[in-house]
Amino acid sequence: RVIFNPGTENPEFYEKLNQAGIKSEVACTLVLLGTGQY
């Protein structure tokens, strides 16, 4: 899984990851850590 923090979005890279079977998401890593979702 690849996490893109807000402001680092890259739609072209999302597609490459998707084609390789790798999940990606746009989320704040600090929020994910704080809420136990990381």
Side-chain angles (χ1 to χ4, degrees), residues 1-36:
R1 165 171 94 160
V2 177
I3 300 170
F4 291 89
N5 283 292
T8 64
E9 297 88 355
N10 186 332
E12 292 175 18
F13 195 49
Y14 299 160
E15 184 58 33
K16 289 181 181 184
L17 290 169
N18 187 40
Q19 290 174 359
I22 301 169
K23 294 183 181 184
S24 65
E25 63 183 285
V26 177
C28 177
T29 305
L30 294 176
V31 172
L32 292 174
L33 287 169
T35 59

